[in-house]
Amino acid sequence: MPLPRFDRLPAERRELILGVARRHFAEHGTEGASYNKIIEAAGVSKTAVYHYFDGRDDLLAAVLDGVLGRLLDALGPWGPARDVADFRARFAASASALAGHLRDHPDDLALADAAIARIDAGSWLDWFDALVTDGQRLGVIRSDVDRGLLVSVTAAVIRAADAWALARMRTESVDEAADLPESEAVAPLWSLLCGLWGGTAATADGGTPTDAR
């Protein structure tokens, strides 16, 4: 984590340093990015940077924490749904918002897997734990399988679906991607997860999820 002196910098300066670092890590990889080139590009002296971070890994951790925080902000908090239809609508809204954020923020897209894979990224799985718990309450998600497994599988499927959707966008024209209804874009993901979840109420009322936001 950043050292106390970094937190005392003006917000604009902190964001500049982390933004430069994020771009370098996104472009060159978490292993390939040069610490010296990052601090040079950010306009920070080698002497000063050691008052801000305990080295390269500390800077990387701060960048990935920021990425994870923005992914969770895109998803939004998960609260108990009123019924199955509300569950589906909230799911569609969150999935679409996450995909939209990754589409519009390529640096976060490039670093998403690294951020999610961090040992202390429990807040990511906490969101999916809330989703699964609520789905089990409503009968959308089966209860005869270990919840931890259901949480991990759900999170992995949604992340894979985002990667698939964004790859598809890159092969289509901007107009084609913009014209695709949100409900149609989310429907394949919902259908796939319903098959994995195996809940009795998952498809009881038919249709596809729509945006509730």
Side-chain angles (χ1 to χ4, degrees):
M1 296 299 295
L3 298 174
R5 187 174 293 187
F6 179 79
D7 292 330
R8 291 196 292 271
L9 289 174
E12 296 82 2
R13 182 60 176 157
R14 294 198 305 270
E15 180 51 37
L16 186 150
I17 293 170
L18 292 176
V20 168
R22 184 170 61 250
R23 289 191 292 276
H24 276 254
F25 284 123
E27 181 177 353
H28 302 289
T30 56
E31 298 296 329
S34 166
Y35 189 49
N36 288 334
K37 288 183 179 179
I38 291 172
I39 61 178
E40 180 182 356
V44 181
S45 71
K46 291 184 178 180
T47 301
V49 77
Y50 286 104
H51 293 293
Y52 302 154
F53 302 98
D54 273 334
R56 182 183 183 281
D57 289 345
D58 199 29
L59 173 59
L60 174 59
V63 167
L64 295 180
D65 282 346
V67 172
L68 185 64
R70 286 186 292 278
L71 298 184
L72 289 168
D73 286 343
L75 284 170
W78 186 273
R82 296 186 301 274
D83 50 31
V84 174
D86 187 42
F87 181 92
R88 292 170 60 175
R90 293 187 187 194
F91 172 83
S94 294
S96 297
L98 178 61
H101 174 83
L102 293 173
R103 179 193 63 224
D104 297 337
H105 298 84
D107 290 346
D108 283 358
L109 172 62
L111 295 170
D113 288 336
I116 293 168
R118 291 192 65 208
I119 293 175
D120 54 351
S123 54
W124 176 256
L125 289 182
D126 286 346
W127 190 92
F128 291 94
D129 184 80
L131 172 85
V132 168
T133 299
D134 199 31
Q136 289 178 326
R137 176 181 64 85
L138 294 168
V140 176
I141 301 176
R142 63 196 302 167
S143 299
D144 62 338
V145 175
D146 180 77
R147 192 173 77 230
L149 177 58
L150 287 168
V151 168
S152 297
V153 169
T154 300
V157 168
I158 289 179
R159 180 67 191 96
D162 284 336
W164 169 82
L166 292 167
R168 183 181 175 187
M169 286 179 189
R170 286 191 285 268
T171 65
E172 297 175 345
S173 70
V174 174
D175 290 340
E176 287 175 331
D179 289 341
L180 185 63
E182 188 172 274
S183 59
E184 184 179 337
V186 177
L189 174 58
W190 174 261
S191 177
L192 176 60
L193 283 172
C194 282
L196 292 170
W197 287 338
T200 57
T203 57
D205 57 351
T208 57
T210 56
D211 192 345
R213 291 189 177 185

